[in-house]
Amino acid sequence: MRCPVCGMMDSRVIETRSTEEGRVNRRRRECPECQTRFTTYERLEEKNYLWVVKKDGRREAFSREKLLRGFQIACDKLPVPLERLEEAASHIESELKSSGQGEIAASVIGDKVSEELRKINKVAYVRFASVYREFTDISNFTNEIARLLEDKEVHRNGK
């Protein structure tokens, strides 16, 4: 595996761990040239039978990478570990694949991402919601934040 820092073609595996219920191998590697440590993921390439139907009716192949990228953008500069985002993306992907549907509306995926982000980090959730729900003015933000605070209060009081 090529080192992402110096480009050396050889790296050694320090640790291998199975994740996502044995479907993915996570490997910690070290470059013998510059001693940089990095992580690689090995997963089975599956044939994609899942299609996303966009608002305008276009269809595109489901992309786990695109899903993960959306999580990363929402969580940019927030203290959320990449492993947690990987888990959320895997959870959504397996839900969609086990649904038995060949085509999924983009809005269904957006709702699932919203649910996961709400559990992971409230700021990331509001960031995502502002784009996904197309907030047009500050009142949309304040209403959503008020809902989050209300939910927090309800959970705190055990209602």
Side-chain angles (χ1 to χ4, degrees):
M1 179 66 61
R2 179 185 302 268
C3 174
V5 175
C6 73
M8 174 88 170
M9 279 303 294
D10 191 27
S11 63
R12 72 182 182 98
V13 175
I14 299 169
E15 172 191 9
T16 300
R17 197 180 325 164
S18 184
T19 62
E20 297 179 30
E21 298 164 0
R23 294 188 311 252
V24 177
N25 287 327
R26 176 184 182 271
R27 300 187 198 282
R28 287 293 294 157
R29 298 175 177 270
E30 183 177 60
C31 174
E33 185 70 26
C34 67
Q35 279 70 50
T36 298
R37 290 187 175 194
F38 56 99
T39 303
T40 60
Y41 293 90
E42 179 182 289
R43 74 180 68 245
L44 177 65
E45 185 176 6
E46 297 177 21
K47 226 174 184 174
N48 191 359
Y49 295 109
L50 193 58
W51 293 88
V52 179
V53 181
K54 304 295 217 168
K55 279 185 200 175
D56 64 4
R58 286 181 302 119
R59 293 171 59 231
E60 70 178 46
F62 173 79
S63 167
R64 183 183 189 287
E65 289 73 30
K66 188 172 178 181
L67 179 65
L68 182 59
R69 204 169 35 253
F71 277 114
Q72 290 171 324
I73 290 168
C75 295
D76 189 36
K77 297 183 183 174
L78 294 173
V80 179
L82 179 60
E83 287 80 19
R84 180 63 182 99
L85 302 180
E86 287 272 354
E87 287 170 15
S90 294
H91 178 252
I92 290 173
E93 181 183 25
S94 62
E95 262 187 29
L96 295 174
K97 286 183 176 180
S98 68
S99 74
Q101 297 177 344
E103 294 185 347
I104 306 285
S107 61
V108 170
I109 297 171
D111 291 343
K112 290 182 181 301
V113 170
S114 287
E115 288 173 30
E116 289 292 324
L117 284 172
R118 195 173 181 145
K119 294 177 209 169
I120 294 171
N121 185 290
K122 303 294 190 235
V123 172
Y125 165 74
V126 172
R127 284 179 182 172
F128 180 81
S130 70
V131 174
Y132 174 62
R133 294 194 183 140
E134 299 173 348
F135 288 178
T136 54
D137 58 37
I138 197 72
S139 66
N140 297 124
F141 279 99
T142 55
N143 291 340
E144 193 60 37
I145 291 169
R147 261 189 47 215
L148 286 172
L149 292 171
E150 187 177 295
D151 289 351
K152 184 178 180 181
E153 191 63 33
V154 167
H155 289 318
R156 187 178 327 162
N157 293 333
K159 292 181 182 175

